[in-house]
Amino acid sequence: MTGKTAPPAKKPAPAAAKKKAAPAPKEKAAPAPKEEPTPKEEPAPKEEPAPKEEPAPKEEPAPKEEAAPAPGAEEPPAPTEAAPTPTEAGAEATPAPEEGSPAPPAEPPAPEPEAQPEKPKEEPPSSPLSLAVEEVSENSFTLTWKAPEHTGKAGLDGYVVEICKDGSSDWKAVNQEPFLSTRYTIPNLSSGDKIHVRVTAVSASGSSAPATLEQPVLIREILQLPKIRMPRHLRETYVRRVGDAVNIMIPFQGKPQPEVTWTKGDQPLDTSRVNIRNTARDTIFYIRQAQRADSGQYQLCVRINGAEDKAILDIQVVEPPGPPQNLKLVDVWGFNVALEWTPPADNGNAEIKGYRVQKSDKKSGKWFTVLERCTRTSCTISDLIIGNTYSFRVFSENSCGLSDSAAVAAGVAHIEKTKTTYQPEKIPQRDMMEPPKFTQPLTDRTTTRGYSTHLFCSVRGFPQPKIIWLKNQMEIREDPKYIAMIEQGVCSLEIRKPSPFDGGVYTCKAVNALGEASVDCRLDVKGEE
């Protein structure tokens, strides 16, 4: 079959249709294009190679020129260009439809080459989360937000913050380039303005949908009453030693920024001694080298317009105290010495916590502490050695430590040997005689055959009573099966590996010169199950 066989195949279709619908007028050929659904019916399998042998696409417009009329439409026979060969006639006769079948459809157009699928584009990041206002002042406000849930493979380049005044639709970016921080302060705003804000996440794949505040931000200063946050350790007296530095920071709050003043005794501070540095949130009190004159109560006042808050800072600068005064050796007797003194003239600006007393013997010349933190102004020193001569001194002590020097007693104490006669104290004799008496009786017991058991009771009496053990009123003598003991008035009888024969009533009898007493119990011995 040649490439020209396809066009003649269309010609017999109208002829076959003409046999069926011959009386149809020619005027009905016009609506033939509306009956194009005929191509939906697949042609005979033998006609499938015809499109492949189509030489040129010029034959395709034939259906548009009503080359394939609907069944029942009458058309004049097409002009014959060449007589079909018998082979062609046989091929064309095969698909001739029977009576009532539609004409074969027009040849389909040649298939177009498939287009290659495009690569999917990367999605832009999602919107930032939790956009909120952190702080508002009279000319700025601060925003915070969280990173978007999806940032894409390329990652974020940053964020862009845009603002728009209430009533306007002109959005302006406040940052020149994207930034990665999730906190941003928008400055240089006018007090009283209402500002709409939105934040967009930017990446190489594009920009996210903006995260927008639901309500505009009103630019005004949020007033806050003044309040001093005095640290806990400064609520009590702050103690420092002479020469130490005093560096104290006290935080406070209040908006607008409060006015801070320090006074001592309702008078301004001596700036040559005390340095004060104030910030928007705290005040720093600094003394390079503290002196005792710096002690006292300092008043801090934080004021905003008519509102204020006050706090007291109590500073105590201390140093070691002076030595005690008027130390005297009051008395010496036997191995003992009595001392007295008076408190020091200078306590070092702190309470005296006690005194330390030391002694030194003439032979060694070394000082030894005999009393520490003695709270009284007198003491007695004992256990001195006979024949030695002693000197004494006393230090005073406060929270800063011991005094730099000590008070030394003017005299010395010589411990002489004295004759003493020992007279023992007469102790009245007490009658301790007592007949035996059981303070803890025996108790009934049940034991298992072959397992040793003990019987216990306790007895008292003076002189110490003699203990006799009996079984069924028969005295137990030196039988290796029984071990009897008594210790501190506790009597015990051990029965070693008892058998049912060892069951019965056991009695413990105590006897001394003043009488006797007894207790008994029952012992049952069961056989092993």
Side-chain angles (χ1 to χ4, degrees):
M1 183 181 294
T2 61
K4 296 181 180 180
T5 55
K10 300 176 185 177
K11 295 178 182 179
K18 190 175 181 181
K19 292 178 182 180
K20 182 180 179 183
K26 296 179 181 180
E27 298 166 0
K28 292 182 181 180
K34 296 180 181 179
E35 297 186 4
E36 288 180 1
T38 53
K40 293 181 181 179
E41 298 183 8
E42 296 181 0
K46 295 180 181 181
E47 295 297 325
E48 288 179 3
K52 296 180 181 178
E53 297 178 4
E54 188 75 29
K58 294 180 180 180
E59 297 295 333
E60 291 180 2
K64 295 182 183 178
E65 296 177 3
E66 300 177 0
E74 186 178 351
E75 287 185 3
T80 58
E81 296 176 359
T85 60
T87 308
E88 293 171 351
E92 292 169 1
T94 304
E98 296 179 3
E99 202 171 315
S101 61
E107 296 177 2
E112 298 179 359
E114 295 183 1
Q116 294 183 356
E118 296 182 0
K119 294 183 180 179
K121 295 183 178 180
E122 293 185 4
E123 295 184 0
S126 57
S127 301
L129 305 175
S130 306
L131 179 60
V133 178
E134 182 184 69
E135 185 179 3
V136 180
S137 68
E138 60 183 353
N139 57 7
S140 66
F141 65 93
T142 302
L143 296 172
T144 59
W145 61 89
K146 293 182 180 178
E149 186 175 356
H150 302 290
T151 59
K153 295 182 179 179
L156 285 181
D157 291 342
Y159 303 94
V160 174
V161 180
E162 297 176 289
I163 61 173
C164 174
K165 289 188 177 181
D166 190 26
S168 173
S169 60
D170 184 16
W171 289 91
K172 296 181 180 179
V174 294
N175 55 311
Q176 300 296 331
E177 296 181 358
F179 61 92
L180 290 174
S181 174
T182 56
R183 185 177 184 275
Y184 190 79
T185 300
I186 303 176
N188 304 325
L189 300 174
S190 300
S191 180
D193 286 349
K194 291 184 177 179
I195 304 296
H196 293 271
V197 187
R198 67 185 184 186
V199 179
T200 306
V202 180
S203 72
S205 57
S207 300
S208 69
T212 309
L213 289 176
E214 295 181 0
Q215 301 293 332
V217 181
L218 177 60
I219 307 303
R220 63 179 179 85
E221 188 168 13
I222 299 177
L223 295 178
Q224 188 178 37
L225 293 176
K227 180 68 176 178
I228 299 173
R229 301 293 186 184
M230 182 66 77
R232 185 182 300 273
H233 70 281
L234 297 180
R235 297 175 189 174
E236 300 177 354
T237 302
Y238 185 70
V239 180
R240 302 297 291 174
R241 297 187 63 164
V242 171
D244 289 351
V246 178
N247 191 5
I248 298 172
M249 184 184 72
I250 301 176
F252 57 80
Q253 66 183 26
K255 289 186 178 180
Q257 183 174 344
E259 177 187 357
V260 181
T261 56
W262 284 89
T263 57
K264 180 181 180 183
D266 297 331
Q267 297 296 325
L269 299 184
D270 182 4
T271 55
S272 63
R273 295 287 312 150
V274 183
N275 295 321
I276 301 294
R277 190 182 69 181
N278 299 322
T279 66
R281 295 186 178 182
D282 55 51
T283 179
I284 297 176
F285 181 97
Y286 180 73
I287 301 176
R288 184 178 296 275
Q289 289 184 338
Q291 301 296 329
R292 289 177 58 172
D294 297 325
S295 302
Q297 291 188 343
Y298 295 81
Q299 186 180 56
L300 170 62
C301 180
V302 178
R303 182 183 294 105
I304 301 177
N305 298 331
E308 65 179 21
D309 189 24
K310 295 182 178 180
I312 299 297
L313 175 63
D314 191 2
I315 296 179
Q316 182 180 4
V317 182
V318 300
E319 62 181 345
Q325 295 180 325
N326 304 322
L327 178 59
K328 297 178 181 179
L329 186 62
V330 178
D331 194 8
V332 179
W333 73 99
F335 311 106
N336 310 302
V337 171
L339 300 174
E340 285 185 358
W341 62 90
T342 57
D346 181 13
N347 63 359
N349 199 28
E351 180 184 359
I352 298 296
K353 292 187 175 182
Y355 301 92
R356 180 176 296 184
V357 181
Q358 295 182 341
K359 68 178 181 180
S360 173
D361 63 276
K362 189 176 181 179
K363 292 180 180 179
S364 66
K366 296 181 180 180
W367 291 96
F368 299 93
T369 300
V370 291
L371 290 176
E372 286 187 342
R373 292 287 180 95
C374 176
T375 57
R376 298 178 299 173
T377 57
S378 63
C379 69
T380 300
I381 302 174
S382 303
D383 299 331
L384 299 176
I385 299 174
I386 295 176
N388 285 357
T389 301
Y390 291 93
S391 298
F392 300 93
R393 67 181 183 183
V394 179
F395 292 87
S396 54
E397 184 177 5
N398 65 3
S399 59
C400 199
L402 295 175
S403 57
D404 295 332
S405 58
V408 181
V412 293
H414 181 69
I415 307 303
E416 296 180 354
K417 184 176 180 180
T418 57
K419 293 181 180 181
T420 56
T421 303
Y422 175 71
Q423 294 181 353
E425 183 180 358
K426 294 182 179 180
I427 301 175
Q429 295 293 328
R430 180 182 175 185
D431 186 8
M432 303 294 294
M433 305 297 286
E434 183 182 9
K437 181 179 179 181
F438 283 92
T439 58
Q440 182 66 36
L442 294 171
T443 56
D444 295 343
R445 294 182 62 85
T446 301
T447 186
T448 304
R449 177 179 182 176
Y451 290 88
S452 299
T453 187
H454 292 78
L455 303 178
F456 293 97
C457 62
S458 58
V459 65
R460 72 182 186 186
F462 191 82
Q464 182 176 351
K466 178 183 177 182
I467 303 300
I468 301 173
W469 287 93
L470 301 96
K471 173 189 173 186
N472 296 329
Q473 303 301 321
M474 298 292 293
E475 184 177 353
I476 299 173
R477 297 186 179 275
E478 296 180 359
D479 188 340
K481 191 176 188 69
Y482 301 96
I483 300 176
M485 297 182 67
I486 180 171
E487 184 176 358
Q488 300 294 329
V490 178
C491 306
S492 65
L493 177 67
E494 180 182 359
I495 305 170
R496 303 173 64 185
K497 297 182 179 180
S499 64
F501 173 78
D502 295 318
V505 177
Y506 285 83
T507 303
C508 180
K509 181 185 291 186
V511 181
N512 70 359
L514 299 180
E516 65 179 36
S518 64
V519 291
D520 53 27
C521 69
R522 173 171 290 279
L523 175 66
D524 293 328
V525 181
K526 294 183 178 181
E528 295 183 2
E529 295 183 359

